[in-house]
Amino acid sequence: MNRKEARIKAQELVSRMTVEEKASQLKYDAPAIPRLGIPAYNWWNEALHGVARAGTATSYPQAIGMAAVFDRDLQQKTADQIATEARAKYNAYAAEEDRDIYKGLTMWSPNINIFRDPRWGRGQETYGEDPFLTKELGKAFVRGLQGDGEYLKTAACAKHFAVHSGPEAVRHEFDAQATPKDMEETYLPAFEALVTEADVEAVMGAYNRTNGEPCCGSKTLIGDILRGKWKFEGHFVSDCWAIRDFHEHHMVTSNAMESAAMALKEGCDLNCGNTYLWILRAYQEGLVTEEQITQAAVRLMTTRMLLGLMDGSEYDQIPYSEVESKEHLQHAEDMALKSIVLLKNDGVLPLDRTKVKTIGVVGPNADSRLSLIGNYHGTSSEYITLLEGVRKVAGEDIRILYSQGSDMQKDRVEPLALRQDRIAEAKIVAKHSDVVIVAVGLNEQMEGEEGDTGNAYASGDKKDLALPEAQQELIEAVAACGTPVIVCNFTGSAMDLSYAHEHCAAVLQMWYPGARGGLSAARLLFGEVSPSGKLPVTFYKDLDHMPEFEDYSMKGRTYRYMEEEAFYPFGYGLTYGKMETEAVQAELQEDSVVLHVTVENRGTTATEDVAEVYVKNLDSVYAQENHHLCGFKRLYCEAGEKKEIEITVPMKELTVVTENGTRLMDGSHYRFFVGFHQPDRRSVELSGTEAVAVDVTLN
């Protein structure tokens, strides 16, 4: 069913509703209208990395981990499987007349905000700091969720529109000020691509204001840009209880009635919250018209028609057995394997079974389920922690010793014990082992969303890049024992890993790898698979040069604008092989530049890796300060194998943005860099390989 047909059917259905019935459908928990055969429907569901909050579902790596895979096809496959499970669960729940929250088909994912500051707790929900990577993975995720059938498989939602990435503590009252150049260059491209190229069905507003206007009632964002410039035809939903913030925190209205009227008039169709209970009063007071109520109701009913919720669809027979199917669990493991980033390796990895007879596993995240899942997660029928994974893969011939080592944050594990009461045990384990794995980091209770976290002092954000003191002391104590140390960092964001890099044999960024992620990690440690993840965010040396968290200017932020050297750069990640670029030739086409690339694995181990393309405009005064990502391709190479690949760069990626926000082609000379990391000095130093540059002149 196309949108025109769905809209006609929606208009006919809505025309038979009273104004009271129409208004009732604008809340996320829309009631049934029995006389018209309309069942109750709850619009709120989540699908960042699996169907969330409604019982059992396959648990994939958190979104930031999926971003580290750098692969559009795998991203789309993940979302397609999530949509399959959402349909399977919806079909089963509907048969039981269970239409509760988190059980519908409107998935409030993906989160395509730019992870501009490493302190932001919700950055784990995003695809990192780069607009190109974010929009490419975002489009793939939307296409996977929505499918290509006669009806929408599920309805995806691009959130949070727009200019939203912390701080969490003041999001309900904060005004994010962004220049026209930063808006067009950084904050809006992913949203535009999901609307104009992937036909995302819904867009969710943010809590904050942007340039003075509350995002869920913004004439500029919703009217001028989203529906005007981009011609968005789907529905717009508020973030949850964001409209209440209009009068309680932003102070742009006087009361709930005025807030409801403002949001509806500016184009917010659906209220996650309860402020739209005042819509009828606003109508009676002449603040909104029946036509405006009707328009929102039609948009929402159009989505329900496109999902086949009224007439049925080809997805109605998807069985419950698809939930946590063997295929889905295997793909989740595959995504976890590909998401883990090897940051340092002095040769200790992969572990050699002929030499390693006793392995120590220590750390508060070694046997923690919370370290696996990240926020907005479902429930798995099985969890495999790092300790359990190592034990499974090591087999009976290798002894595993374990110590918790420290608490996540407190200075002791047992309340009546002395400070750091598990440090001695961790040292004993290290001294009795051939190699020791130290699992540290954070979890969703320490970084995440305001209100959904135990991190009360920062409302889900981090105050700095340091590991908790207890964990840092643990690493230092174990490293001093002389046994080779492998640090596995479970976080959804960049941390200060400088001590681990200097004093430990290997360092890996695990992200939150999914419910069975410990098994994937163990397989990688033992060399069954080579690591191949890439950093979708910069790991900074410190925050000394970082602008204030509340400053939304991009100056000095992310690899595209930073002036100092990164500790671990965006796009960096090692493998057990040694992939190198041998040659690059550029072919100009009408709407793109096609790069013909020769790559070779000059190592002794087969591996996957990600070829990355960066471009620098050599002419324009409007060009970004540094090079920027414009293409990528995941590939597999046997040891010693040489391959020819093509990477197509759309001409739009060569445009620049003026200070007034105009995007245009400006200049003729461009330098492309093709390699397996950025062309910066630090990436070359860490990897031992260089990107190959090729200059292109446009006529």
Side-chain angles (χ1 to χ4, degrees), residues 381 470 581:
S381 62
T581 306

Side-chain angles (χ1 to χ4, degrees), residues 158 160-162 183 188 191 195 202-208 210 213-239 242-243 246 259-270 276 295-296 299:
H160 309 86
F161 189 61
M183 291 283 284
L188 296 182
F191 286 100
V195 169
V203 173
M204 176 183 283
Y207 284 109
N208 53 277
T210 293
E213 297 179 323
C215 295
C216 294
S218 170
K219 177 183 183 301
T220 302
L221 290 176
I222 305 173
D224 298 345
I225 297 174
L226 184 63
R227 296 203 184 276
K229 184 178 178 182
W230 299 344
K231 308 301 180 187
F232 175 64
E233 295 184 336
H235 72 266
F236 190 97
V237 55
S238 77
D239 208 337
I243 297 174
F246 291 10
S259 295
M262 179 183 185
L264 185 69
K265 285 193 295 186
E266 298 302 345
C268 182
D269 306 303
L270 181 67
Y276 273 15
Q295 177 177 248
R299 286 176 180 151

Side-chain angles (χ1 to χ4, degrees), residues 347-648:
V348 69
L349 294 175
L351 296 173
D352 187 341
R353 293 177 181 274
T354 66
K355 298 178 181 178
V356 175
K357 297 304 179 184
T358 302
I359 298 174
V361 182
V362 306
N365 270 338
D367 198 30
S368 166
R369 289 184 173 186
L370 284 178
S371 70
L372 302 174
I373 53 179
N375 67 357
Y376 284 91
H377 57 81
T379 301
S380 179
S381 62
E382 181 185 17
Y383 294 84
I384 303 176
T385 66
L386 179 61
L387 174 63
E388 293 165 337
V390 169
R391 190 175 284 128
K392 285 176 181 286
V393 177
E396 296 181 358
D397 295 334
I398 296 177
R399 177 76 186 276
I400 307 298
L401 303 179
Y402 167 68
S403 170
Q404 182 178 337
S406 75
D407 187 77
M408 288 292 292
Q409 301 183 74
K410 299 174 184 177
D411 65 358
R412 67 205 69 197
V413 173
E414 294 293 339
L416 298 181
L418 297 176
R419 186 180 182 280
Q420 289 291 56
D421 55 323
R422 291 291 185 268
I423 284 278
E425 183 186 45
K427 292 165 66 176
I428 293 167
V429 166
K431 291 174 181 178
H432 285 78
S433 300
D434 299 312
V435 64
V436 59
I437 300 166
V438 183
V440 294
L442 306 174
N443 57 42
E444 67 162 327
Q445 294 180 342
M446 300 169 72
E447 61 173 349
E449 183 173 6
E450 177 262 345
D452 287 344
T453 174
N455 178 8
Y457 73 89
S459 295
D461 297 324
K462 300 182 318 206
K463 67 181 189 327
D464 54 38
L465 303 181
L467 288 167
E469 184 179 0
Q471 297 188 43
Q472 186 62 36
E473 290 181 9
L474 172 65
I475 295 175
E476 293 175 12
V478 172
C481 294
T483 304
V485 176
I486 301 164
V487 172
C488 294
N489 183 55
F490 291 80
T491 63
S493 58
M495 306 294 291
D496 178 1
L497 299 176
S498 56
Y499 183 90
H501 185 86
E502 183 177 351
H503 297 278
C504 300
V507 182
L508 297 102
Q509 177 63 29
M510 313 301 291
W511 313 111
Y512 300 125
R516 293 167 171 79
L519 180 61
S520 298
R523 291 186 60 207
L524 187 149
L525 291 170
F526 278 94
E528 292 184 12
V529 180
S530 169
S532 59
K534 301 292 186 179
L535 292 180
V537 290
T538 299
F539 277 47
Y540 301 87
K541 291 181 178 179
D542 50 51
L543 294 177
D544 292 349
H545 302 280
M546 181 67 66
E548 291 297 320
F549 197 0
E550 294 81 2
D551 181 0
Y552 267 73
S553 166
M554 288 304 296
K555 181 176 175 57
R557 295 188 184 279
T558 76
Y559 81 94
R560 293 182 301 138
Y561 305 100
M562 62 190 295
E563 298 173 359
E564 73 280 5
E565 188 175 72
F567 191 79
Y568 292 129
F570 172 93
Y572 166 69
L574 301 172
T575 73
Y576 295 153
K578 190 175 182 182
M579 296 294 299
E580 295 194 50
T581 306
E582 187 174 283
V584 180
Q585 290 185 322
E587 175 190 351
L588 284 177
Q589 296 189 353
E590 183 178 350
D591 57 355
S592 64
V593 177
V594 179
L595 299 171
H596 302 272
V597 185
T598 304
V599 300
E600 183 178 3
N601 182 0
R602 294 173 182 166
T604 58
T605 303
T607 188
E608 287 192 10
D609 209 336
V610 179
E612 303 169 27
V613 181
Y614 296 84
V615 65
K616 174 65 178 167
N617 184 314
L618 302 179
D619 296 335
S620 179
V621 296
Y622 302 116
Q624 296 171 37
E625 283 85 340
N626 304 324
H627 50 261
H628 63 275
L629 185 73
C630 62
F632 57 90
K633 188 179 185 70
R634 175 171 280 269
L635 64 145
Y636 173 84
C637 271
E638 296 285 350
E641 184 181 6
K642 186 179 293 188
K643 274 190 175 178
E644 306 285 336
I645 63 171
E646 286 186 3
I647 301 178
T648 299

Side-chain angles (χ1 to χ4, degrees), residues 97 515 551 682:
E97 293 299 323
D551 181 0
R682 178 63 172 164

